[in-house]
Amino acid sequence: MNKHPHTALVFCTILLLLQSLHAHSHTVCIIGSGIGGASVAHFLRSYSDPQTVGQITIFERHGVVGGRMATVTIAGETFEAGASILHPKNYHALNYTKYLNLQVKQPKHADDSLSLGIWDGHKFVYKTLNSNSKLPIVQRFVAIANSIVMLLRYGVFSLLRMSSFVEATVNKFLRYYEGFESRPVFKSVEGMLKWAGLYNRGRQGGENWQALFWACFLSFILKNMWKDCSIDLGYQVIEFCAVITRINYGQSVNISGLAGAVSLAGSGGGLWSVEGGNWQMAAGLINRSEVVLHLHEEIESISYLGDVYELNSTKGKSYNCQVAVVATPLDELNILFDPAISIPPRKLQHTYATFVRGLLNPVSILWSGFVIDIPELVGTTETADVPFSSISILKQHEKDMTYKIFSVNLWQMPYWKTFSARPALLLDKLVRVETIKINWAAYPHYQAPETYAPFILDGKHLYYVNAFENAASTMETSAVAAENIARLILSRLSQQVHYSSTNLKSFTSDSSKLHVEL
């Protein structure tokens, strides 16, 4: 006879509750541990409860999390090697840093004191003034002088039009932070863009969004009626945009309008990063989301078995999940899908990040043969004479410096040396101390009109975060897409297009507060 009937009853009740919980919660597998995959896990946990989402498993083919957010150590210093900058209105990233107690890294220079040069393969067509004086009044005078030089070269109206174009695009993008009562769950990239008023910009090529600067042509002609120089000004305006798109996307000014606007926004003021590396956002979100993480494990096939997805890895292991999320670009992966999926063909733009400790050779940088100071950031025009997109000074040492060089081809030192026969920037191999090269499949190769892969790859529960990258590729756009994917998963699991929960939180008010504080 059982002397403790109440104890047995409680024990049985607990078992039944646990079985019920297990039966109704859904398991989720996420492929990729970058900001997209980590954000999906974070928002699934934030927007639901254990009865809805049970175990979340993330698979990462590399040995570290972060995806295209990574750091490199050279000359004893750590620098961003992949996704480097964040905009002051990247509210998900700002919330991540606060949520994870990360430190915001402010730029080493004020926005108006960074020295900049635009190199065309033979000379600097534009170069800011610089001063070694640390006096604030001197620095302010130099900043004003640089603003005047820029206005004279590119035109007041053209710069105002550019600023207005970027601001309008950013304001439309801010709609993705609105509360759930006014922001629907999007089943497609097209729907997501149309709702925010951004769809047409993804369909316009460079020749269309450059047209936003048409008025500067008129102002120049009116100011110089005795000269037929309007073509020159048009080249200068395009030159300015092209330099920025080459730095941020490694592509020409003919990219789609939305990607162009995002690129221009990434050249503005207030840019920031996470102290110690942006990858910490992904790592922190994964740690806080009670995720089962599999490093060094690549998924090679995904099969739908009727009620679950079977994921097979290169380690010969199989995993079953009711929801599968692909949070890494499928373009250069060989994942076998059964049934097969169909997505529009897309080419990734490879960018080579070369980190060098050494010294740039400034000799013969001008036709006159004068030796001049190298700006802290060198952008380039689109010409065959320039095999790199940008060079930036990361750290100044006692006798040399650490540089970061972006190029669309893998540089070799002998190739650089061939440019010594004509006035061009080169790295002096004799003083080179250390070199690290990284090949990034960094972002899509943009070409309007853009086409988009579906968010739902099979009409069931196989989701694709990186479909949104064809609109624009940044850390924040990945987070925005991931947040929508998390909401889409939960709404479809509950068979409701719109739903509410006490766990669902809007980021609008918190984001505004963070923006003010930063």
Side-chain angles (χ1 to χ4, degrees), residues 152-163:
L152 289 174
R153 178 169 182 81
Y154 297 110
V156 176
F157 204 77
S158 66
L159 294 176
L160 288 176
R161 291 286 290 183
M162 184 186 72
S163 176

Side-chain angles (χ1 to χ4, degrees), residues 10-58:
V10 170
F11 180 73
C12 291
T13 302
I14 292 175
L15 284 178
L16 289 172
L17 287 173
L18 288 174
Q19 289 176 356
S20 175
L21 177 63
H22 178 74
H24 290 88
S25 63
H26 298 82
T27 54
V28 180
C29 286
I30 301 174
I31 303 171
S33 69
I35 192 67
S39 294
V40 170
H42 166 69
F43 288 118
L44 284 176
R45 288 293 187 221
S46 299
Y47 293 171
S48 68
D49 50 44
Q51 284 83 1
T52 305
V53 176
Q55 179 173 300
I56 299 176
T57 306
I58 290 183

Side-chain angles (χ1 to χ4, degrees), residues 73-281:
T73 300
I74 185 168
E77 299 277 347
T78 300
F79 305 103
E80 294 287 354
S84 303
I85 57 173
L86 290 153
H87 190 274
K89 291 185 178 180
N90 285 169
Y91 290 145
H92 283 319
L94 288 170
N95 275 294
Y96 293 165
T97 58
K98 182 177 180 180
Y99 173 64
L100 299 171
N101 296 317
L102 300 174
Q103 296 297 314
V104 171
K105 182 179 180 180
Q106 301 295 346
K108 62 179 180 179
H109 296 280
D111 298 330
D112 56 3
S113 66
L114 175 69
S115 62
L116 168 68
I118 298 176
W119 181 250
D120 70 355
H122 300 278
K123 62 183 182 301
F124 280 109
V125 297
Y126 172 81
K127 185 177 182 295
T128 57
L129 304 174
N130 197 19
S131 172
N132 293 324
S133 174
K134 302 299 182 182
L135 294 175
I137 188 171
V138 175
Q139 291 293 326
R140 189 58 185 162
F141 176 80
V142 171
I144 293 173
N146 284 328
S147 297
I148 293 173
V149 171
M150 176 171 280
L151 291 174
L152 289 174
R153 178 169 182 81
Y154 297 110
V156 176
F157 204 77
S158 66
L159 294 176
L160 288 176
R161 291 286 290 183
M162 184 186 72
S163 176
S164 176
F165 171 56
V166 172
E167 184 178 0
T169 303
V170 171
N171 287 337
K172 290 178 183 293
F173 189 83
L174 293 180
R175 295 201 65 191
Y176 295 131
Y177 304 107
E178 291 182 4
F180 294 163
E181 65 280 356
S182 60
R183 178 166 53 96
V185 178
F186 304 104
K187 293 184 177 180
S188 69
V189 178
E190 292 89 344
M192 193 169 177
L193 294 173
K194 288 176 181 178
W195 179 82
L198 295 171
Y199 179 71
N200 287 336
R201 292 190 177 176
R203 299 190 62 79
Q204 295 172 339
E207 69 280 359
N208 289 313
W209 65 274
Q210 289 168 29
L212 291 169
F213 308 127
W214 66 268
C216 68
F217 300 161
L218 178 60
S219 84
F220 186 85
I221 293 171
L222 291 176
K223 187 172 63 175
N224 302 275
M225 292 183 66
W226 63 93
K227 297 179 181 179
D228 185 16
C229 297
S230 59
I231 294 178
D232 291 337
L233 181 67
Y235 169 76
Q236 289 173 349
V237 172
I238 295 174
E239 164 200 282
F240 184 80
C241 298
V243 169
I244 296 173
T245 57
R246 280 172 62 82
I247 291 175
N248 289 332
Y249 279 137
Q251 298 171 57
S252 76
V253 75
N254 291 316
I255 65 178
S256 59
L258 182 54
V262 170
S263 180
L264 292 173
S267 65
L271 304 178
W272 59 282
S273 60
V274 176
E275 188 73 48
N278 295 326
W279 64 271
Q280 295 173 101
M281 290 189 291

Side-chain angles (χ1 to χ4, degrees), residues 74 354-358 401-403 405 416 427 432 434-435:
I74 185 168
T354 304
F355 296 82
V356 180
R357 179 173 178 180
M401 300 184 185
T402 298
Y403 302 95
I405 304 166
W416 297 350
L427 285 171
R432 183 175 56 133
E434 188 177 357
T435 302

